[in-house]
Amino acid sequence: MTLKLTVCNVCVSVVTILSRSHADRNVYPSAGVLFVHVLEREHFKGEFPPYPKSGDASNDPITFNTNLMGFPDRPGWLRYIQRTSHSDGVLYGSPTSEHVGKATVIEITAYNRRTFETARHNLVINIMATEEFPLPYQAEFYIKNMNVEEMLASEVLGDFLGAVKNVWQPERLNAINITSALDRGGRVPLPINNLKEGVYVMVGADVPFSSCLREVESPHNQLRCSQEMEPVISCDKKFRAQFHIDWCKISLVDVNKVAPVYIPRPDPGTGILPEFGEYNPPSESLKSRDYFSDFLVTLAVPAAVALVLLFILGYTMCCRREGVIQLVHHSSIQKSTKELRSMSKNREISWPLSTLPVFNPVSGEVVPPIHPDNYETTSMPLMQTQANLQNQITIPQQRPSG
C-alpha cells in the first residue's frame, strides 16, 4: 500500500512496503520529490521455513539484492542501503523529469543467511510528472549527527522539514534528495563517542530564502568559516535540539538565476575515427577464404630455415678442420677424465710395516695387528712399543766372551 506523508502541508516522500505475495508491486513517485521504499524483514520471514524447534523466535539474518531487470545494478538515481542483516533495507532516490513516463522494474531478491533460500519480488516504479518541479529555491543542509538510514525514517525527516518550514516560511516545501556524506568523499568515523557519518539533505521551496538562512553569507560568518570556527546563526537553536547542522557547508541555490553551462565538444583529433552513423554488420554473402595455404607457409618457412641452419652447423663441425679439431679435443678431454675416475676407484693404500702381522720366532704363531681391518690407519703410529704388543717376545742377549 502506498502511503503519502504530509507533515505541515509538506510533501515529504512516498513510502511503500513490500507485500508477502510474489506479484509485482506498482508505486507512483513524483519527479523532483524524494522517493523512499522500505524493505521490511518481517514481510519476508513468512516465505522462509521456520525454525526446527517450535517456540523459537525467528530472527534469521536476511539481506537484499536490488537491480534493474536485465541489468546487474540499479538506475543512476536510485540508491540502496542496509546497515546489517538484521535491519531493514531502504531504496531511496530522487527521479528527474527525464524519467517521467518510463516504467522502471526493480528486481528485489531476499537472501536468508540461515537456510540459504531466496525470495524474489518485482517493484515497478512509474514516475509521474508534477507541476511543482522544479522548485526555484533549493537549499542543501549538512547534518552531522545523522546517518542516512536514520534520516530516511519518515518521522525524523518530517521533524527536520518542520524545523526548516519554521525558519523559511514557504507555501510549498519538498524534500528533493538525501545523500550520505560517504558518497561525497567523507571518511568513515571512528567507532567512539557514537559518531555518525553525516548526511546531506536538499529541500526546495517556492519563496526566496529567509534572512536567517542568508546569515551564513555575511562577511563575519564567512571569516569564521575560513578559520574553521562555527558561525553565528540566529535560528540554529530551532535545529540544535535534534539536528546538528554544519552551517559552513550549507548551499543556497536560486534555479532561476543559474545560467546553463554549455561545454563545447572539442574537435576530434587524427586518432579519432569519424562518425559514420549506425554500424552495419557485413552481410552473409561474403566469400569464404581458404587458410590451408597460409597454414603450410607458416610451418614450411620456419622448418626450412631450421634445416639450413642445422646443415651449416653440421658441415662446420664435421667437415671443416677447425670443427674436427674441436671435436677431437673434446673427445680427448672426456677420455682423460674417464681414465682418471677409473684409476681413483682402483687405488689402494699400503699398510705401514708396524701394522702387518707379527711372527713369533719361538712359537711360530702369527699375531694379528692391533687394529681391525676397518680401523682408521691415518691415526696409527708408525712404530709400536713392546708394551702394546699382546704377546711380548723376550730375545736373549749374547754375553761378550771374556
Side-chain angles (χ1 to χ4, degrees):
M1 180 177 180
T2 305
L3 177 61
K4 186 77 172 181
L5 294 181
T6 305
V7 180
C8 300
N9 295 328
V10 175
C11 181
V12 178
S13 60
V14 178
V15 180
T16 58
I17 300 176
L18 281 181
S19 63
R20 298 185 181 182
S21 61
H22 291 271
D24 295 349
R25 190 70 178 176
N26 289 271
V27 292
Y28 301 90
S30 300
V33 180
L34 180 65
F35 168 75
V36 180
H37 186 84
V38 182
L39 308 179
E40 293 192 355
R41 298 172 62 255
E42 296 294 335
H43 292 268
F44 287 89
K45 289 182 179 179
E47 301 186 9
F48 300 118
Y51 273 71
K53 296 181 181 180
S54 59
D56 291 346
S58 177
N59 192 22
D60 294 344
I62 299 176
T63 58
F64 300 95
N65 182 46
T66 59
N67 64 279
L68 183 64
M69 178 174 289
F71 296 90
D73 205 351
R74 298 173 299 276
W77 63 271
L78 188 62
R79 297 178 181 178
Y80 170 74
I81 186 172
Q82 183 183 12
R83 185 67 61 175
T84 64
S85 59
H86 294 280
S87 60
D88 297 334
V90 182
L91 282 169
Y92 66 100
S94 180
T96 63
S97 58
E98 299 177 357
H99 306 95
V100 174
K102 301 178 182 179
T104 304
V105 181
I106 303 297
E107 294 181 344
I108 301 174
T109 305
Y111 295 90
N112 190 321
R113 298 303 179 180
R114 178 181 65 88
T115 61
F116 300 101
E117 294 186 353
T118 61
R120 178 167 294 178
H121 298 266
N122 289 335
L123 178 68
V124 182
I125 303 177
N126 303 281
I127 302 174
M128 308 298 293
T130 176
E131 298 179 356
E132 301 176 357
F133 178 80
L135 293 175
Y137 302 96
Q138 298 177 1
E140 187 178 55
F141 299 85
Y142 175 60
I143 304 175
K144 298 184 291 185
N145 65 327
M146 286 288 174
N147 290 334
V148 62
E149 70 274 9
E150 298 174 346
M151 198 67 198
L152 289 172
S154 59
E155 61 276 4
V156 178
L157 184 58
D159 294 341
F160 176 74
L161 293 178
V164 174
K165 187 177 179 63
N166 291 333
V167 300
W168 199 340
Q169 300 296 327
E171 295 182 3
R172 294 191 306 270
L173 181 68
N174 293 342
I176 299 177
N177 197 11
I178 292 181
T179 308
S180 173
L182 299 182
D183 298 333
R184 298 285 188 88
R187 301 177 62 181
V188 178
L190 295 176
I192 56 176
N193 299 330
N194 196 21
L195 296 178
K196 303 294 183 178
E197 299 171 358
V199 61
Y200 289 88
V201 180
M202 179 178 289
V203 298
D206 58 344
V207 297
F209 304 107
S210 63
S211 58
C212 172
L213 297 179
R214 289 195 174 276
E215 289 179 1
V216 71
E217 298 178 351
S218 64
H220 176 69
N221 286 330
Q222 290 294 322
L223 178 61
R224 294 180 64 89
C225 289
S226 62
Q227 297 176 352
E228 297 184 357
M229 299 175 60
E230 188 174 356
V232 180
I233 306 297
S234 60
C235 58
D236 180 57
K237 58 183 179 180
K238 296 183 179 181
F239 296 91
R240 183 64 61 177
Q242 188 176 1
F243 307 100
H244 296 172
I245 298 178
D246 189 348
W247 293 99
C248 291
K249 294 184 178 181
I250 189 174
S251 175
L252 305 177
V253 177
D254 187 354
V255 178
N256 297 326
K257 296 181 180 180
V258 176
V261 179
Y262 297 98
I263 301 176
R265 185 177 180 181
D267 296 334
T270 57
I272 306 299
L273 296 177
E275 297 182 359
F276 294 101
E278 297 181 357
Y279 171 73
N280 295 322
S283 61
E284 298 180 357
S285 61
L286 293 177
K287 297 180 179 180
S288 61
R289 180 180 176 183
D290 187 10
Y291 292 93
F292 183 71
S293 59
D294 298 340
F295 175 73
L296 291 180
V297 171
T298 304
L299 293 181
V301 173
V305 173
L307 289 176
V308 170
L309 294 178
L310 182 62
F311 174 77
I312 295 174
L313 180 61
Y315 173 76
T316 304
M317 297 302 297
C318 300
C319 301
R320 302 287 295 178
R321 181 175 178 274
E322 294 82 1
V324 174
I325 293 175
Q326 292 293 334
L327 292 176
V328 172
H329 182 63
H330 181 68
S331 178
S332 62
I333 292 175
Q334 286 186 340
K335 185 177 179 180
S336 301
T337 304
K338 185 177 180 181
E339 183 177 359
L340 289 174
R341 289 179 178 177
S342 61
M343 291 175 61
S344 63
K345 291 181 180 179
N346 299 329
R347 182 175 57 184
E348 296 181 355
I349 301 175
S350 59
W351 293 92
L353 296 178
S354 59
T355 61
L356 296 178
V358 180
F359 176 74
N360 192 336
V362 178
S363 60
E365 181 181 1
V366 177
V367 180
I370 296 177
H371 62 82
D373 293 338
N374 57 355
Y375 192 79
E376 179 66 30
T377 59
T378 57
S379 62
M380 292 295 296
L382 296 179
M383 299 298 295
Q384 298 182 1
T385 60
Q386 294 182 356
N388 295 332
L389 297 177
Q390 295 181 359
N391 298 324
Q392 186 176 356
I393 303 174
T394 304
I395 301 177
Q397 300 181 0
Q398 296 182 358
R399 295 180 181 182
S401 57

